[in-house]
Amino acid sequence: MAIATISPVTGEVLERFDELTPEELEDKLARAAAAAASYRLTTPEQRAGWVEHAAAHLEKETDSVARLLTTEMGKTLRAAREEVVKCVRGLRFYAAEAPAFLRDRPGDGPGVGARQTYVTYQPLGVVLAVMPWNFPLWQAMRFAAPALMAGNVGLLKHASNVPRTALYMEQLFRDAGFPDDVFQTLLISSGRVEQVLRDERLAAATLTGSEPAGRSVAAIAGDEIKKVVLELGGSDPFIVMPSTDLERATDAAVRARCLNNGQSCINGKRFFVHADVAEAFIGMFVAKMGALVVGDPMDDGTDVGPLATESGRRDVEAYVEDAVSKGATVLVGGERPDRPGWFYPPTVLTDISPDMNMFHEEVFGPVAQVWTVSSLEEALRIANGHPYGLGSNLWSEDEAERALFVRDVQSGMAFINGNTTSYPEIPFGGVKRSGYGRELSDLGMREFMNAKTVWIGENADGTS
Ligand code: NAP
């Protein structure tokens, strides 16, 4: 895929970028390795100072950075502003909390025959982040903030359609005063990720993206025996039980499916509604989906902008056409509008069956699948039949249902009476084919650290 900024609103190529030459890539790897050798010796307090500066810079530039995100991938300007604000919050969280996460953890020395034992957390070195375009700043930031606070050096291979955002990230950390080459952007195609992964100067990698990309990176990292974290696709269940408030649940369902123009890894994509409230829920959901304003993402009145890429819209259309040809019913949407750009309307489908591709895969656009179920157990049985296990949602006022949901839903995150959201303060990640490892919180930071066990015995003369 060519590295270029292409307007999803018009399809116009706004700027093309040259890939790094082999010599430029080698230079960047050498610089990263050199930076890692000295950066690991900086103190958590020094790093926190630079991260704070990055937060302050970004905060000042909120509006221009938000416009950059909207231009490159079509999210509404309102959503882009929220993304920038979240990045500022993420940076500040790690600046404030990471020094405590990095403290040595004392152990029971005498219990293991030592005068003293403890675990000390040390950086791994150079870490590669392969990132997607859907939250182009936040996805990269939630790697960068903990990685840099941990004393690692970051290399960012961003998605090919968000090069301006990728270059902005490098600039931001440079302007914040980080030592040279501690965070670099690599403008390379995905075909060259293997070379970087296999390079002996690279310690570890994290990939957020699709299942095929994850499989490829995991296989190479496995072959090289390098640590890797994978944040892959999701098709989150959103289960609605009779005790819930339907106004609240339908508002949340619309937000879940249309957030980021329907291109979020988390949040409900499959809606399981108890039969007692199905008719009412579906009526309200369809009306609210149909009332959303689809249009230019720069306009304040727009609810849903275009999909980010032409191929992304083709994929969404193909999922809907396949489902309809096999018996799905379209309650609203389902037709691409007659206008330039990669728009697709909020769409609701019912009568979903296992022979349809969307039953087992992920639809990355504003398309909701609705099932009517007779019990929570039935909802969980269908939900858990999916290969992905990223987030999950239950809407219920019933304690016993909540407990059953938390116990039995196969997902990395279980949200009750609220939409799945990433917060710097709590862990984020999936199970099954949604990947492995965790981002955010202290857990995310420790993924790329050597938890080194230290055991110190008595001196020869018995003194300590
Ligand atoms: P993608 O096509 O997999 O691309 C993601 C990144 O991986 C891009 O930088 C891409 O580079 C690179 N890439 C693609 N194929 C690769 C390969 N074989 N080897 C190495 N790198 C490769 O995914 P996307 O379309 O950008 O993003 C949508 C997917 O990401 C969805 O499935 C979504 O659910 C998932 N996602 C997951 C999370 C999470 O936290 N779990 C968050 C956001 C998105 P190029 O652009 O150059 O191809």
Side-chain angles (χ1 to χ4, degrees):
M1 197 162 142
I3 301 177
T5 296
I6 303 175
S7 166
V9 176
T10 61
E12 183 193 351
V13 179
L14 301 177
E15 190 174 359
R16 289 183 199 281
F17 292 79
D18 289 332
E19 271 204 51
L20 293 179
T21 63
E23 295 72 29
E24 286 167 340
L25 179 57
E26 165 53 33
D27 180 58
K28 291 217 172 226
L29 288 167
R31 283 166 178 273
S38 52
Y39 186 63
R40 66 184 287 275
L41 303 176
T42 57
T43 64
E45 289 69 27
Q46 283 176 302
R47 297 172 206 155
W50 295 316
V51 172
E52 265 296 340
H53 283 149
H57 273 267
L58 183 56
E59 193 168 44
K60 256 191 265 151
E61 295 168 349
T62 300
D63 202 57
S64 60
V65 178
R67 284 178 184 279
L68 166 61
L69 307 186
T70 298
T71 302
E72 286 206 298
M73 54 67 65
K75 69 175 61 203
T76 62
L77 191 55
R78 198 169 358 129
R81 284 202 192 95
E82 285 167 12
E83 180 170 343
V84 177
V85 168
K86 191 170 192 170
C87 289
V88 172
R89 173 177 167 170
L91 286 163
R92 295 215 162 112
F93 169 78
Y94 278 105
E97 303 298 331
F101 300 158
L102 290 167
R103 262 182 228 132
D104 294 343
R105 202 186 74 195
D108 172 15
V112 293
R115 175 164 62 82
Q116 186 191 10
T117 183
Y118 60 96
V119 173
T120 190
Y121 296 96
Q122 299 184 335
L124 291 184
V126 182
V127 183
L128 171 70
V130 182
M131 289 289 136
W133 46 261
N134 62 336
F135 292 91
L137 198 69
W138 172 235
Q139 293 292 350
M141 198 63 81
R142 72 197 214 186
F143 154 72
L148 296 182
M149 276 308 303
N152 289 308
V153 160
L155 290 174
L156 171 65
K157 182 274 180 270
H158 219 323
S160 294
N161 57 330
V162 289
R164 288 182 181 170
T165 308
L167 292 171
Y168 172 77
M169 290 273 299
E170 184 180 278
Q171 183 71 40
L172 175 69
F173 290 119
R174 198 181 305 127
D175 290 349
F178 276 91
D180 287 347
D181 307 320
V182 162
F183 188 92
Q184 299 181 81
T185 287
L186 307 179
L187 288 186
I188 55 171
S189 64
S190 57
R192 293 168 76 191
V193 166
E194 175 164 5
Q195 178 197 340
V196 179
L197 279 173
R198 291 198 186 278
D199 192 287
E200 62 180 14
R201 291 163 292 192
L202 191 94
T206 180
L207 178 135
T208 300
S210 60
E211 192 186 329
R215 185 175 293 114
S216 161
V217 163
I220 299 161
D223 191 42
E224 293 290 337
I225 320 202
K226 288 181 181 173
K227 175 76 184 277
V228 66
V229 167
L230 298 178
E231 294 288 357
L232 308 180
S235 192
D236 292 4
F238 184 112
I239 303 174
V240 180
M241 298 305 288
S243 58
T244 202
D245 178 276
L246 289 187
E247 204 66 70
R248 192 160 82 121
T250 46
D251 281 347
V254 171
R255 261 200 319 279
R257 198 55 288 237
C258 294
L259 176 89
N260 214 32
N261 308 340
Q263 304 158 120
S264 169
C265 54
I266 47 172
N267 270 311
K269 294 191 174 95
R270 298 177 296 146
F271 298 82
F272 300 96
V273 188
H274 192 279
D276 289 357
V277 289
E279 198 182 326
F281 177 93
I282 292 171
M284 291 162 77
F285 185 39
V286 167
K288 288 178 184 183
M289 288 285 274
L292 294 175
V293 178
V294 179
D296 186 335
M298 290 287 181
D299 290 348
D300 277 346
T302 295
D303 298 308
V304 182
L307 299 188
T309 62
E310 193 172 16
S311 63
R313 182 174 66 173
R314 237 186 348 258
D315 290 346
V316 170
E317 279 184 312
Y319 277 117
V320 173
E321 280 163 19
D322 168 74
V324 169
S325 74
K326 292 169 182 165
T329 304
V330 180
L331 299 180
V332 66
E335 293 278 339
R336 84 152 67 170
D338 183 18
R339 61 187 292 174
W342 302 316
F343 291 90
Y344 197 84
T347 296
V348 179
L349 299 178
T350 55
D351 302 316
I352 306 298
S353 55
D355 55 336
M356 300 172 187
N357 294 333
M358 66 170 60
F359 187 93
H360 313 276
E361 298 174 16
E362 175 189 26
V363 185
F364 221 49
V367 177
Q369 309 168 41
V370 183
W371 277 262
T372 299
V373 292
S374 56
S375 64
L376 178 57
E377 285 82 355
E378 185 189 359
L380 285 168
R381 185 175 51 72
I382 306 171
N384 288 340
H386 201 282
Y388 290 142
L390 193 54
S392 56
N393 298 85
L394 173 70
W395 292 81
S396 167
E397 305 290 308
D398 182 301
E399 278 303 331
E401 285 173 358
R402 295 177 186 187
L404 179 73
F405 171 74
V406 170
R407 191 191 69 184
D408 287 353
V409 71
Q410 294 174 1
S411 65
M413 297 166 282
F415 277 58
I416 297 170
N417 293 351
N419 280 348
T420 326
T421 311
S422 59
Y423 298 94
E425 297 83 357
I426 57 178
F428 185 100
V431 293
K432 299 163 71 178
R433 291 202 185 173
S434 292
Y436 44 74
R438 288 293 178 268
E439 290 184 295
L440 301 172
S441 77
D442 61 322
L443 296 188
M445 196 166 127
R446 294 197 203 292
E447 292 284 1
F448 295 114
M449 304 211 74
N450 174 10
K452 186 182 276 179
T453 300
V454 180
W455 185 102
I456 305 171
E458 300 296 336
N459 291 337
D461 63 3
T463 60
S464 51

